[in-house]
Amino acid sequence: MRALAERAAGIAGGIYLVLLAAFMLWPVAIVTLVSFSPTPVFDVPTEGASLQWYRKLADLDELWPAVRLSAEVGAIASVGALMLGSLCALGLRRGRLYCPACILAFLMSPLMLPGIVLGVAMLITFRATGFLDAYTSLVLAHIVITVPYVVRVLYAALGLFDFTMIDAARTLGYSHPVALWKVLVPNLLPSFVTAGMFAFLMSVDNYALALFLGDVRTVTLPIELLKLLDRAADPTVAAIATLMVAFTAALLVVGERLIGAARLVGRSA
Amino acid sequence: MRSNADDAPYGVLAVPALAYLLLVFVVPVALLVVGSIVVDQRLTLANFTAYLGDSHNLRTVEATLRYAFLSAAFCLVLGYPFARLMLGLTQRAELLVFAALLLPMSLSLIVRAFGWTILLGRDGPLNHLLLGLHVVDRPIRLLFTETGLVLGTISIKLPLMILPIFLALKTIPSELHDAGAALGAGPLYRFARIELPLALPGILAGFALVFAQAAAAYVLPTLLGGARMQIMSNAIVDSFLILQQGAVGSTITVLLLAIVTAVLVLTSALASRRVHA
């Protein structure tokens, strides 16, 4: 009798887990379904699928410049963050710095601050200094929010790196920077790729900074998406959204191949 | 043996990133805060009393706090049992649940919010479901209501509540429950006196995260709350981009920053007091 009750409780618990997980995944699933809808209403297609909304994407004149801008800003910001962040992680691991934990906490603090607050702070600062180029200010701002990811991934990776290998390379005659470049960088390449990927995804997904720092001609993908959603949209927006989900999923699969699911989960948690 | 690598000045490598953050992150935030509390070279809260003196603005702040609190409270009520149930899973099932929690977090927020606008529509799946279950007899308005907004926010912020609670619960040795039971404590007593105090740091962390993120959310209230939902984030964006009233916008921004910081500091203080007590 008691075993039966426990079994029933176990099943009820399982149902709860599945239902709540579905509640979290539902919004993404519905967007994907709607993008294949044969009709222009936002509903789950019941009879047949259609690719018409994907074909219509080509006609959206303002979409492609936004995609391009987001990709450019994301790429430049990721490279900048990779350089600053990986050097910094190395300095934190190997240097004799005062309170490395405090410095690490400081490096993470841009992620603690609401995006809107960061956007406003940068807007008024750039305005006050007369620095008005939207493109450059976007790149500068995106480096601030991507450096934390790079530091976090590489700080963890460097903790597992065996630095006696550097000593060995030095003994064999390499100078210090060359030893790092020839031994450390190839060894940690998967971590560099992961860090860059995270940085790129975070930059492309960020709306708050572009909301304040962008202008009429500097519109990133999230802002363009918000604009499209504002005009009573058809499933074309769902098609864009589905492609974005597919792109992120593809990057995550690449990341999983590179460093393994368990570590990816452990790091981003 | 400490390696001879120590002779290299590694610490210097941290300088460029720190200098960059100082210049492009700390200075702007400091300028924002100082600009709102220093008027005519005098320290004053005049900007804030003037803003809060207006009953319309007060309602905006109230709506923000209410929305953030409701979101965090519902996430806690739904998320706690979830985290608790995760403890009993096999490693494989646990990894699967982790994926379900982390995957949506890496997808675009706008895409997920957009998904909820479809779900909540008058002709949307949620209304179909309610009609099918005979909960309602005609489609009800969900989109652009507080209910719809909070529902969408819960579904999107739940992982932020579940993960810290799960991590806190995982540190509790199962022997503790058995010991309590052996000493005659009932399930309710064990929950209140053993589990809850030990899970409290996780609960507080989750609550603070969801509260802070909801209080400063812009996309969700804009897409799910509609034009009638006036909260601080919308007010900030409006005052900078539409009304061109940067001074008012800065005041609201600093107020929002103060609220978010207060919640984070308060909860972490509570959590550490619990641990040291």
Side-chain angles (χ1 to χ4, degrees), chain A residues 9 12-14 16-18 20-21 23-28 30-31 34 42-44 84-85 87-92 94-97 103 106-110 112-118 120-128 139-141 143-144 147-148 151 163-164 166-167 170-171 176 180 198 201-202 205 207 211-212 221-223 225-226 229-230 233-235 237-242 244-245 248-249 252 261-262 264-266 268-269, chain B residues 1-18 20-29 31-33 77-83 85-86 89 95 97-119 123-126 128-129 151-152 154-156 158-159 162-163 167 209 212-213 216-219 222-223 233-234 236-237 240-241 244 246 249-250 253 256-257 260-261 264:
Chain A
Y16 184 75
L17 283 175
V18 170
L20 211 60
F23 177 59
M24 287 181 260
L25 295 168
W26 202 16
V28 178
I30 196 84
V31 169
V34 164
F42 283 149
D43 204 358
V44 182
L84 288 172
L87 286 178
C88 187
L90 191 57
L92 279 173
R94 298 298 285 172
R96 271 166 286 175
L97 295 168
I103 298 178
F106 167 69
L107 285 160
M108 296 302 138
S109 57
M112 299 282 121
L113 216 61
I116 292 222
V117 174
L118 204 57
V120 168
M122 290 185 178
L123 175 70
I124 59 168
T125 308
F126 288 144
R127 271 188 190 169
V139 170
L140 290 175
I143 291 177
V144 169
V147 160
V151 172
F163 275 92
T164 51
I166 300 292
D167 300 339
R170 295 253 294 140
T171 316
H176 220 111
L180 287 175
F198 266 119
L201 281 178
M202 287 307 139
D205 195 31
Y207 68 90
L211 199 60
F212 291 101
L221 182 58
I223 305 295
L225 211 55
L226 282 176
L229 285 171
D230 201 34
D234 59 22
V237 191
I240 304 171
T242 304
M244 285 167 69
V245 170
T248 309
L252 289 179
L264 193 70
V265 165
S268 46
Chain B
M1 188 192 84
R2 283 294 276 179
S3 65
N4 61 2
D6 279 345
D7 57 19
Y10 271 103
V12 178
L13 298 179
V15 171
L18 294 173
Y20 186 84
L21 285 191
L22 191 71
L23 214 64
V24 194
F25 169 62
V26 177
V27 167
V29 174
L31 270 181
L32 168 71
V33 174
V77 171
L78 289 172
Y80 193 92
F82 192 95
L85 287 165
M86 277 175 74
L89 293 177
L95 201 69
V97 172
F98 257 110
L101 289 175
L102 294 171
L103 187 72
M105 289 214 303
S106 54
L107 300 174
S108 162
L109 174 68
I110 297 173
V111 169
R112 286 178 290 157
F114 168 49
W116 271 101
T117 65
I118 301 173
L119 290 169
D123 216 19
L126 200 59
H128 280 299
L129 186 73
L151 203 62
I154 299 168
S155 118
I156 288 171
L158 254 175
I162 293 170
L163 290 170
L167 293 177
L209 270 175
Q213 290 219 354
Y218 172 73
V219 164
T222 309
L223 292 181
S233 56
N234 298 348
I236 292 168
V237 173
F240 273 103
L241 302 183
Q244 303 297 336
S250 295
T253 310
L256 182 62
L257 179 62
V260 168
T261 313
L264 290 173

